[in-house]
Amino acid sequence: MAFTFFFRDQHVLDLVVQHLVPFLSGRSRPRVWDAGCAMGQEPYSLAILLAEHMNPFGFKNLRLDVTDLDECDTFGPIIREAVYPWEELERVPKDLFEKYFEPAGAKRFRVADLVRDRVVFQKHDLLSCRPLGQGYSLVLCKNVLLHFQPDERVDVIRMFHSALAPGGFFATEQTQKMPAELEPLFERVVADGQVFRKVDVLGCECSVPEETGRSTAQTSF
């Protein structure tokens, strides 16, 4: 399992929050999907930034669905406990660390309940191409798609499009470009990051076969 840490690729997370927060305004129970969440460092980092920029009532109604294949049943217990060693937290800005973490043993810290209560983990295989649900305001999928074959990426991103609410956002790793055949489905919203807004194309068939016959491990962050 690759070592990772909180606030990795913060620039991308900041771009996501900048565009997402205005979109969430006025939505009663907004949902975000972090696909390929690994041990939870990424979704908790995103949740902290959203807690900082959303009004308290809006944040308490937010749900972050976080998923991974998790074949060894490792990620779920870690995310639910939300306790991490100091070496994974060193890059958290000091003010945010003091606000959103509490001691949980020798050089270990737990994510504050305010944030932890917003994050819900479940196992999910992206290559099933079955969306977790519908109406998501954001789908975040970083450092997963690069492990897939080109045709698999197309199927998975098409599935993300179907899971998004009209005008919702999709964000991925900086090195992952949007496949040419899917460009009509998304509008890129920033020049310095892979952050896209869903475009609804009249008459476009955005579904994928229910069974692809594929299965592969996912990891992220």
Side-chain angles (χ1 to χ4, degrees), residues 4-219:
T4 187
F5 49 87
F6 278 70
F7 283 77
R8 182 176 177 181
D9 298 332
Q10 185 177 348
H11 174 67
V12 174
L13 297 180
D14 286 338
L15 290 173
V16 167
V17 170
Q18 175 186 341
H19 288 82
L20 181 63
V21 170
F23 183 79
L24 296 179
S25 179
R27 295 176 180 266
S28 59
R29 296 193 179 277
R31 292 181 299 152
V32 167
W33 178 9
D34 188 322
C37 64
M39 294 180 289
Q41 294 90 340
E42 178 179 87
Y44 279 131
S45 297
L46 175 62
I48 288 169
L49 291 174
L50 289 172
E52 284 292 292
H53 290 86
M54 294 177 68
N55 68 68
F57 177 79
F59 182 73
K60 287 183 179 180
N61 284 297
L62 177 70
R63 173 178 170 127
L64 280 81
D65 288 321
V66 304
T67 66
D68 209 295
L69 194 58
D70 194 19
E71 292 180 303
C72 297
D73 293 321
T74 300
F75 301 156
I78 292 173
I79 292 169
R80 284 186 282 270
E81 185 181 20
V83 174
Y84 298 90
W86 167 246
E87 58 266 27
E88 296 179 15
L89 302 168
E90 291 178 318
R91 295 168 180 81
V92 178
K94 183 179 179 181
D95 59 329
L96 298 183
F97 179 79
E98 293 175 349
K99 187 174 181 179
Y100 293 104
F101 293 88
E102 58 189 32
K107 295 186 177 181
R108 294 175 64 81
F109 299 86
R110 177 178 287 106
V111 179
D113 288 348
L114 173 68
V115 172
R116 187 156 54 100
D117 290 346
R118 307 273 57 79
V119 174
V120 179
F121 172 81
Q122 58 184 296
K123 297 172 72 170
H124 180 264
D125 182 0
L126 288 178
L127 291 180
S128 72
C129 288
R130 296 192 181 99
L132 196 65
Q134 305 291 329
Y136 284 98
S137 297
L138 167 72
V139 174
L140 180 65
C141 185
K142 291 169 63 266
N143 302 323
V144 176
L145 295 174
L146 77 168
H147 297 293
F148 295 164
Q149 296 300 314
D151 61 326
E152 294 173 334
R153 291 185 200 123
V154 169
D155 287 347
V156 171
I157 296 173
R158 197 183 299 273
M159 179 261 295
F160 288 152
H161 182 275
S162 73
L164 285 168
F169 295 92
F170 166 62
T172 188
E173 62 262 24
Q174 188 65 18
T175 58
Q176 185 59 239
K177 308 303 180 185
M178 181 64 65
E181 56 265 56
L182 299 183
E183 288 179 356
L185 302 183
F186 294 93
E187 171 194 7
R188 190 171 177 181
V189 298
V190 296
D192 56 343
Q194 300 297 312
V195 183
F196 303 86
R197 181 184 288 112
K198 175 178 178 173
V199 174
D200 288 309
V201 181
L202 186 63
C204 175
E205 177 57 57
C206 298
S207 64
V208 295
E210 291 189 0
E211 296 293 342
T212 64
R214 305 181 189 129
S215 178
T216 189
Q218 300 164 27
T219 186

